Amino acid sequence: MVSQHPPSVDQLARSLEDTGLPHPLLVDAARSAISSGDASDVEVRARGIAEKMARNLLTDVINGTGVLLHTNMGRAPVDVSMNSGRYTNLELDLVTGERGSRQDRVPQLLAKVCGAEAAIVVNNCASAVMLVLAALAREESVAVSRGELVEIGGGFRIPEVITQSGAKLVEVGTTNRTRVKDFAKAIKKENVVLTLSVHQSNYRIEGFTESVKISELAELGVPVVADIGSGLIDAGCPWLESGPPSWLMNEPAAKQTLEAGADLVTFSGDKLLGGPQVGVIAGNAELVNACSSHPLARALRPGGLVLNALEKIVLAYLNRDSDAIPFWRMATLSVEDLLSRAKVISEQWASETLSTPGGGTLPGVEIPSAGLVIPGDYSEEMRLNDPPIICRVVDGKTILDLRTVHPDDDEVIAAAITALGK
Ligand SMILES: *Cc1c(COP(=O)(O)O)cnc(C)c1O
């Protein structure tokens, strides 16, 4: 066999320029192709590596899964379009010309929508809980029911967060039943400075159970922090003309949890709030201030782009304009409307489907929906489409749920289905 002379790294990299990747990345692709096999098919290998790199850059995708808050797709979709190359007044008070705080604007609007005295915004809910504990309970004890020592997706474990914050965990009650007496005893014996109530977002305990209400914890004489996680702002959903959808069930809401006596609530921005990835701490002004002035607050603060996306969402809540909150717009679409969109895409494959809220919220909840159901597994063809379409495969059928698809993308889906020869 004649051994082929390998092309130079630079030559090979240049031959891949049409992938659109910057030269240094093409050089990496070329090097890795040259070192990983013989010279005969080095061009093909290099192109494969470069295309994989290009495909995995952060990009818009079409979510056809029907999972409204899909962790792999950034949970809630938001509008992050802003100031093409311009400055902002992020920390400038435009009225006085003095230095302002990024925490003075959106967080105060958020406090208003959830009926809190004050609020601050941090990187995510995990950091919100961590900051609250570090600011209010460092080197002191925090009482938590054994039924609420939960793990949320991505390794957020309440006992570990408490340890990391420098607070000491005092476990109260049992896995299935905890009473207010258990908390009272712990507070008397253990120098507990706050009680923490954690929403069991992603699972349920059924049967012989008992848990302590926020209003009962509020009677015990130490501050009550409620990590509601999922970020429903108000159980009455005043931003929805038709009121709260039935699938929300007994989801705790920030406003009602504060009204029940919680001193602080913490929640995510990108779950039922429908905003960007942030964590919110809202409630009693003095406690919020203690959090804002803790050194960790500086480390956990969000950037201007995120605050801008959040501001749009919060203004939409204040305007009671659910159409401007993509999550709520999609969550409340009617099955009839979705089915007629599906029929325009493909009369043959249009079908009713089931969406889910996702994001580790409302386990087991299904929302009647509609889309395309095609026999066979076409998930790979769909994922490799440009733009990528992410779908579900159940029982050998490809499901494209239109609830989570922007109507402007229906044509893309129609073209991708035609390309399948379907
Ligand atoms: C989701 C969730 C968290 C974590 O929120 P992130 O914003 O993902 O950090 C914490 N607590 C509860 C109860 C949650 O549901």
Side-chain angles (χ1 to χ4, degrees):
M1 209 174 119
V2 188
S3 102
Q4 273 183 291
H5 198 64
S8 82
V9 169
D10 191 61
Q11 228 176 3
L12 189 52
R14 278 183 202 290
S15 75
L16 301 169
E17 268 165 9
D18 60 300
T19 57
L21 286 176
H23 191 69
L25 297 185
L26 296 178
V27 168
D28 287 350
R31 285 221 172 93
S32 133
I34 289 168
S35 66
S36 67
D38 70 66
S40 61
D41 55 356
V42 71
E43 276 99 0
V44 178
R45 274 202 314 279
R47 179 158 294 276
I49 296 167
E51 280 173 356
K52 262 191 209 151
M53 276 186 194
R55 184 152 281 279
N56 265 326
L57 292 175
L58 193 57
T59 185
D60 288 351
V61 301
I62 296 176
N63 175 8
T65 62
V67 181
L68 284 154
L69 303 168
H70 201 301
T71 307
N72 299 358
M73 289 181 260
R75 292 196 185 145
V78 286
D79 182 0
V80 287
S81 58
M82 194 190 169
N83 68 33
S84 43
R86 294 201 173 77
Y87 295 98
T88 69
N89 58 337
L90 182 63
E91 296 208 335
L92 176 66
D93 185 325
L94 287 176
V95 177
T96 62
E98 311 266 304
R99 174 164 187 174
S101 161
R102 69 185 69 203
Q103 298 289 359
D104 284 346
R105 209 172 289 118
V106 200
Q108 296 326 307
L109 300 178
L110 249 178
K112 193 174 174 67
V113 275
C114 55
E117 286 174 14
I120 64 164
V121 173
V122 290
N123 181 56
N124 55 13
C125 188
S127 24
V129 175
M130 173 84 91
L131 177 56
V132 166
L133 295 172
L136 306 180
R138 203 182 140 72
E139 287 170 14
E140 314 267 11
S141 298
V142 175
V144 188
S145 162
R146 287 199 169 86
E148 299 178 2
L149 293 172
V150 300
E151 173 172 322
I152 321 284
F156 175 83
R157 298 174 136 193
I158 289 293
E160 289 168 13
V161 173
I162 293 176
T163 309
Q164 280 300 318
S165 73
K168 181 171 159 258
L169 167 65
V170 175
E171 300 182 18
V172 170
T174 63
T175 304
N176 57 328
R177 304 196 97 187
T178 302
R179 301 185 184 83
V180 70
K181 272 193 294 191
D182 300 321
F183 274 99
K185 212 173 357 164
I187 290 170
K188 212 186 249 168
K189 262 183 40 197
E190 306 257 3
N191 201 28
V192 166
V193 297
L194 65 84
T195 58
L196 174 66
S197 159
V198 184
H199 179 39
Q200 301 161 343
S201 309
N202 52 5
Y203 78 107
R204 261 184 238 299
I205 302 186
E206 285 182 22
F208 189 58
T209 66
E210 187 171 339
S211 58
V212 185
K213 293 196 190 77
I214 296 291
S215 56
E216 297 175 292
L217 290 177
E219 300 286 304
L220 297 173
V222 295
V224 180
V225 176
D227 177 24
I228 61 169
S230 36
L232 179 63
I233 284 286
D234 182 338
C237 301
W239 58 92
L240 298 178
E241 254 172 49
S242 49
S246 57
W247 48 261
L248 264 185
M249 304 201 290
N250 298 319
E251 188 62 22
K255 185 158 189 256
Q256 284 71 23
T257 304
L258 291 168
E259 280 168 6
D263 294 278
L264 289 179
V265 288
T266 54
F267 55 88
S268 294
D270 51 0
K271 295 183 182 170
L272 299 178
L273 182 72
Q277 180 200 300
V278 293
V280 180
I281 302 169
N284 175 285
E286 209 178 302
L287 299 181
V288 169
N289 273 340
C291 295
S292 320
S293 50
H294 189 275
L296 258 185
R298 173 66 177 74
L300 301 175
R301 72 182 189 182
L305 285 177
V306 166
L307 288 171
N308 174 260
L310 183 63
E311 189 173 87
K312 287 180 191 158
I313 295 293
V314 177
L315 291 173
Y317 274 100
L318 287 167
N319 281 323
R320 301 192 167 182
D321 178 8
S322 60
D323 279 350
I325 309 169
F327 169 77
W328 285 108
R329 183 186 59 71
M330 297 187 299
T332 52
L333 292 168
S334 75
V335 177
E336 299 79 70
D337 287 353
L338 292 167
L339 198 55
S340 42
R341 275 170 59 193
K343 285 181 178 158
V344 171
I345 294 172
S346 160
E347 190 72 43
Q348 185 180 10
W349 307 120
S351 171
E352 295 200 356
T353 55
L354 288 169
S355 308
T356 53
T361 64
L362 296 156
V365 166
E366 291 179 320
I367 308 171
S369 187
L372 295 315
V373 178
I374 307 170
D377 178 351
Y378 296 103
S379 56
E380 187 175 359
E381 288 86 342
M382 290 289 158
R383 201 175 62 247
L384 297 180
N385 190 68
D386 183 17
I389 302 167
I390 313 300
C391 49
R392 268 187 307 147
V393 177
V394 180
D395 297 334
K397 292 180 191 141
T398 301
I399 300 178
L400 280 156
D401 190 318
L402 290 181
R403 181 176 295 286
T404 46
V405 175
H406 195 285
D408 290 352
D409 293 332
D410 285 3
E411 280 176 28
V412 178
I413 292 195
I417 292 176
T418 309
L420 292 177
K422 285 277 168 187

